[in-house]
């Protein structure tokens, strides 16, 4: 019996990107190992992206606190669940085209105005909205503070004390969200693989197609991570097109390079390698 060791996680990343012929091995490994690779990939991507977002968020919060504490920032008050800031027109601050901070007591600006920035803050009388590229927006409602009266200095003190909790929440949300997203994406690509399997007349089982789909996600996942980390400002539609186009190309090339005439004969022997 062939006792060749299964490739480790990092070898699989490289092979899934650079060696289409290696997808025959991916097809024949146990489903649990392929699924484990998907979880590890999602975890690695989530940790990397959350680290990048954390660095940017921490710097943004520190810069914001410095500005809040300066004489240039107007007095603020939260009372009866409503924020009041002594400004006549919305205040818009931008940093390196990467971060936007909006204080708007007139409800002129919306969540859409935060699009295109890696981190965006929108403060209105009703809520604070924090929007990070690649993650759903996070709202904080002032109505939950109806029993409190907070001024400028107590707000700064509160932010200082809760900054670490807030950053921890961001890290947890991004990592869990990335894992759930990759599970969904693997199912979508497996449906694409089913269609390609039918068109190319490859008599492969859904389990094999699902395993191929998992590895086909590797390169597009890394590319999208880079795009989001660099805050290139591509629209969600363009990102989807890039992601699934690349995944589809890998699936089609992998299927074309497989000899389905010998799938059943080789399947059991190949399984023993994994």
């Amino acid at each position: 019996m062939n006792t060749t060791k299964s490739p480790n996680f990092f070898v699989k990343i490289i092979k899934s990107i650079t060696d289409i012929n290696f997808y025959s091995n991916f097809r024949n490994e146990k489903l649990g190992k392929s699924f484990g690779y998907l979880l590890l990939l999602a975890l690695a991507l989530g940790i990397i992206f959350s680290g990048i977002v954390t660095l940017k968020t921490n710097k943004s919060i520190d810069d914001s606190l410095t500005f809040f504490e300066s004489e240039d920032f107007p007095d603020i008050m939260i009372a009866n669940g409503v924020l009041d800031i002594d400004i006549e027109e919305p205040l818009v601050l931008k940093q390196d085209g990467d971060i936007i901070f909006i204080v708007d007591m007139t409800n002129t600006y919306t969540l859409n105005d935060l699009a295109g920035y890696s981190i965006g803050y929108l403060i209105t009388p009703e809520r604070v909205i924090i929007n990070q590229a690649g993650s759903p927006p996070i709202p904080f409602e002032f109505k939950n503070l109806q029993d409190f009266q907070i001024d400028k200095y107590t707000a700064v003190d509160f932010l200082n004390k809760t900054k670490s909790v807030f950053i921890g929440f961001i890290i947890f949300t991004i990592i869990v969200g990335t894992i759930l997203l990759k599970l969904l994406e693997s199912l979508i690509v497996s449906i694409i693989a089913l269609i390609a399997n039918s068109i190319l007349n490859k008599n492969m089982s859904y389990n094999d197609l699902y395993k191929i789909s998992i590895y086909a996600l590797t390169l597009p996942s890394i590319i999208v991570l880079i795009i989001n980390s660099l805050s290139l400002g591509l629209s969600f539609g363009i990102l989807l097109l890039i992601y699934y186009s690349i995944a589809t190309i890998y699936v089609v090339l992998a299927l074309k390079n497989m000899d389905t005439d010998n799938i059943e004969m080789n399947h059991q022997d190949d399984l023993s390698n994994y």
Side-chain angles (χ1 to χ4, degrees), residues 35-226:
F35 194 73
Y37 171 83
L38 178 63
L39 293 179
L40 282 176
L41 179 65
L43 182 62
L45 294 172
I47 290 174
I48 292 171
F49 187 59
S50 65
I52 293 171
V53 171
T54 296
L55 289 175
K56 292 180 178 180
T57 301
N58 189 63
K59 184 178 186 304
S60 177
I61 292 175
D62 288 342
D63 291 343
S64 299
L65 287 171
T66 299
F67 179 62
F68 288 163
E69 293 172 330
S70 71
E71 295 298 326
D72 296 329
F73 194 79
D75 291 331
I76 65 175
M77 175 71 72
I78 299 177
N80 299 319
V82 177
L83 171 68
D84 179 43
I85 300 181
D86 186 22
I87 55 175
E88 296 181 358
E89 297 181 356
L91 174 66
V92 180
L93 301 175
K94 300 179 182 179
Q95 180 178 323
D96 301 328
D98 194 38
I99 299 173
I100 186 170
F101 183 87
I102 302 173
V103 180
D104 179 19
M105 297 294 101
T106 63
N107 287 319
T108 301
Y109 289 87
T110 67
L111 179 62
N112 294 332
D113 294 295
L114 305 181
Y117 296 87
S118 61
I119 302 176
Y121 301 89
L122 175 60
I123 300 178
T124 69
E126 294 81 21
R127 63 189 60 86
V128 176
I129 299 176
I130 302 173
N131 187 64
Q132 299 174 350
S135 302
I138 303 174
F140 292 90
E141 302 288 339
F142 292 124
K143 65 182 180 182
N144 297 325
L145 302 175
Q146 287 187 358
D147 296 333
F148 297 91
Q149 288 194 1
I150 304 175
D151 58 20
K152 170 180 175 178
Y153 301 102
T154 55
V156 169
D157 183 59
F158 176 79
L159 288 174
N160 274 315
K161 290 180 178 178
T162 60
K163 182 174 69 171
S164 59
V165 175
F166 173 66
I167 290 177
F169 175 76
I170 290 176
I171 293 173
F172 175 80
T173 301
I174 290 177
I175 291 176
V176 173
T178 301
I179 292 174
L180 294 177
L181 183 61
K182 292 304 165 191
L183 292 175
L184 175 61
E185 289 168 352
S186 68
L187 291 176
I188 294 174
V189 175
S190 71
I191 294 173
I192 295 174
L194 277 173
I195 297 172
N197 180 62
S198 177
I199 294 174
L200 297 173
N201 294 316
K202 301 285 186 176
N203 298 318
M204 297 182 63
S205 69
Y206 178 75
N207 276 355
D208 289 348
L209 293 172
Y210 183 68
K211 286 179 281 186
I212 292 170
S213 301
I214 286 174
Y215 290 99
L217 294 176
T218 304
L219 181 59
S221 295
I222 293 174
I223 290 176
V224 170
L225 172 66
I226 293 172

Side-chain angles (χ1 to χ4, degrees), residues 22-31 34 204 208 211-212 258 262-263 266-274:
F22 207 80
Y23 275 74
S24 294
N25 295 339
F26 293 147
R27 178 202 72 204
N28 291 327
E29 75 176 2
K30 293 179 180 179
L31 180 60
S34 297
M204 297 182 63
D208 289 348
K211 286 179 281 186
I212 292 170
M258 289 181 184
N262 296 317
I263 286 178
N266 296 330
H267 189 70
Q268 294 299 325
D269 290 337
D270 288 336
L271 282 178
S272 65
N273 297 337
Y274 293 89

Side-chain angles (χ1 to χ4, degrees), residues 244-259:
Y244 288 106
S245 294
I246 296 174
T248 300
I249 290 171
Y250 269 90
V251 167
V252 171
L253 290 177
L255 291 178
K256 283 185 175 181
N257 278 274
M258 289 181 184
D259 181 9

